[in-house]
Amino acid sequence: MKDALRLLVYFAAVLLVGALLAPVLFWSAQPLVGMVPALAKVDFESFFHRALLVAALALLWPLLRAVRVRSIADLNLEKNPAWLRHGTLGFLFAAIPLLCCGAAAIAFHVYSLRGTVDFAKILQVIGAAAVVPFLEEAFFRGLLLGVLLRSGQKYMSILITSAFFSIIHFLKAPEQTSTIVTWTSGFHSIANSLAQFTDPMLVAASFTTLFLLGWILGDARVRTRSLWMPIGLHAGWILSAGVFNKIARRQMLALPWLGKSLLVGLAPLLVALITWLLVLVWLKYERTRNY
């Protein structure tokens, strides 16, 4: 698959450029600490993540040229007349089961309600839920999966896209990994991020769940030939997990069943399977009704 190789080269280039750019961004921000004191609290890993984003955007145009994408038709996407229904149902199918999981976590004293709630942080979660799904779904399920689907291998295309999706979200080094920033700090962050794959508990609790979420999003995109249901699903997961973490506090670590958030652990894995079942049942109902 030549397109898959081009995508692999793109991701390798993003990592390389991001690793080299991260120290530059960090050093450029230091003279601004006097004017923006909050920058003093931002560690190198945050700059590394921003550098990866800048690299991904900067190299996107060459990627589009390389894979010959000129319109959404080249990505196996169509206009969806049921876009509002699919987006809304996707949101509900994701949010309601996950919030039920959160309620169960509180009932079993894995989490407890916070005494005070920071509404400013909740607004940040709402903002992320309104923006991030559009960006990530356009990139992962729109561009990447659309390019791979041109090979005619549907399940392999979803598998590769889901693997990329989970690896990118799993690619987070522990905080304060690089306390002294040098030109090699970005590569150090990559190495520490990949080292997490040697922890079987962490892989089972986090990476596996992320992979399944990516698969569900890819499957919904293929079945509807549209991004609206994946966007709704993605927004539902971000909003429900994010708001729950702002109103509830973890009392104990219950790995591998439940980790640092409602999207980490085997319990969220089972909840995601329920969401997937709801999506499949609804789409089958739609097809039956339309005949």
Side-chain angles (χ1 to χ4, degrees):
M1 298 170 65
K2 292 183 179 180
D3 285 336
L5 180 60
R6 292 187 180 100
L7 292 174
L8 184 61
V9 171
Y10 168 76
F11 276 104
V14 166
L15 288 176
L16 176 61
V17 174
L20 293 173
L21 181 60
V24 177
L25 293 181
F26 180 85
W27 293 327
S28 299
Q30 300 316 300
L32 302 176
V33 170
M35 294 182 291
V36 187
L39 284 175
K41 300 179 181 180
V42 181
D43 67 357
F44 175 77
E45 298 310 317
S46 297
F47 286 96
F48 173 63
H49 297 149
R50 300 300 180 273
L52 289 177
L53 178 60
V54 171
L57 293 175
L59 297 174
L60 187 58
W61 176 246
L63 173 64
L64 293 174
R65 294 292 300 272
V67 296
R68 304 176 303 282
V69 172
R70 297 177 180 83
S71 68
I72 62 171
D74 295 329
L75 299 174
N76 290 285
L77 289 171
E78 299 176 352
K79 289 185 178 180
N80 185 355
W83 65 272
L84 182 58
R85 180 170 69 246
H86 281 173
T88 303
L89 287 174
F91 179 87
L92 295 175
F93 290 161
I96 293 176
L98 197 59
L99 289 175
C100 289
C101 177
I106 292 175
F108 285 98
H109 306 293
V110 178
Y111 278 79
S112 64
L113 293 174
R114 297 178 184 271
T116 58
V117 177
D118 190 334
F119 289 100
K121 291 185 177 180
I122 290 181
L123 289 177
Q124 292 176 0
V125 172
I126 294 174
V131 175
V132 172
F134 286 92
L135 298 177
E136 292 197 356
E137 292 312 306
F139 183 72
F140 286 102
R141 259 61 60 177
L143 176 60
L144 299 191
L145 182 53
V147 169
L148 292 172
L149 285 171
R150 297 190 304 198
S151 67
Q153 300 181 41
K154 181 177 70 173
Y155 294 113
M156 181 58 69
S157 299
I158 295 176
L159 186 148
I160 293 174
T161 306
S162 302
F164 275 134
F165 177 76
S166 52
I167 289 172
I168 291 300
H169 285 77
F170 201 66
L171 198 64
K172 294 181 180 179
E175 294 183 0
Q176 303 300 332
T177 295
S178 298
T179 54
I180 300 177
V181 177
T182 67
W183 278 109
T184 61
S185 293
F187 298 98
H188 187 52
S189 294
I190 295 174
N192 278 277
S193 299
L194 296 177
Q196 297 177 97
F197 285 97
T198 61
D199 185 344
M201 185 71 75
L202 192 59
V203 171
S206 183
F207 181 82
T208 306
T209 305
L210 287 169
F211 181 85
L212 177 60
L213 296 183
W215 187 284
I216 294 170
L217 293 168
D219 185 62
R221 182 260 204 234
V222 169
R223 291 177 184 274
T224 61
R225 297 181 66 85
S226 165
L227 295 178
W228 287 106
M229 184 165 280
I231 287 171
L233 289 165
H234 203 148
W237 283 323
I238 289 178
L239 185 65
S240 54
V243 170
F244 179 81
N245 283 342
K246 302 308 177 187
I247 66 174
R249 179 185 292 107
R250 190 180 65 194
Q251 294 294 100
M252 66 176 72
L253 189 61
L255 286 175
W257 293 102
L258 197 61
K260 60 182 180 181
S261 78
L262 285 185
L263 292 176
V264 177
L266 296 182
L269 192 72
L270 296 175
V271 171
L273 289 173
I274 294 173
T275 293
W276 194 10
L277 178 62
L278 292 173
V279 170
L280 295 177
V281 170
W282 175 260
L283 293 179
K284 183 178 181 180
Y285 164 73
E286 275 194 341
R287 288 194 300 270
T288 303
R289 187 182 62 178
N290 292 334
Y291 283 140

